[in-house]
Amino acid sequence: MAERTGLVRAQHRAGEAAVQVAYSAFIDHIQKCPPCRTDGADCATAAELKQVYRKAKDAAVAA
C-alpha cells in the first residue's frame, strides 16, 4: 500500500479527527443523559449524534 503523504495524509487525518470528535460527542452525551443511561435506548439527541458519527465514519472510509 502506498504511503500517505502531503495532502492525502492531511485529508486522511482530518477525516479521522472528524470521526473521533463525533464519536466522543455521542459517548459523552449517552454517559451524561439520564434517559439514555436509565432506559438503555438512545434519546433523540443521541440518535442525531449517532447519525453524525456514522456519516463522518462513512466519509472517512470513502476518502
Side-chain angles (χ1 to χ4, degrees):
M1 178 152 88
E3 184 177 336
R4 294 176 187 242
T5 59
L7 181 58
V8 174
R9 175 184 272 168
Q11 290 171 337
H12 176 76
R13 287 186 177 168
E16 289 296 315
V19 171
Q20 289 301 317
V21 168
Y23 185 72
S24 294
F26 170 69
I27 295 300
D28 186 54
H29 173 80
I30 63 172
Q31 288 176 339
K32 293 178 181 176
C33 175
C36 288
R37 289 179 43 199
T38 58
D39 298 341
D42 295 346
C43 70
T45 301
E48 184 178 327
L49 289 168
K50 188 184 285 184
Q51 287 299 320
V52 170
Y53 162 67
R54 287 180 177 160
K55 287 180 182 180
K57 186 172 72 169
D58 290 345
V61 170

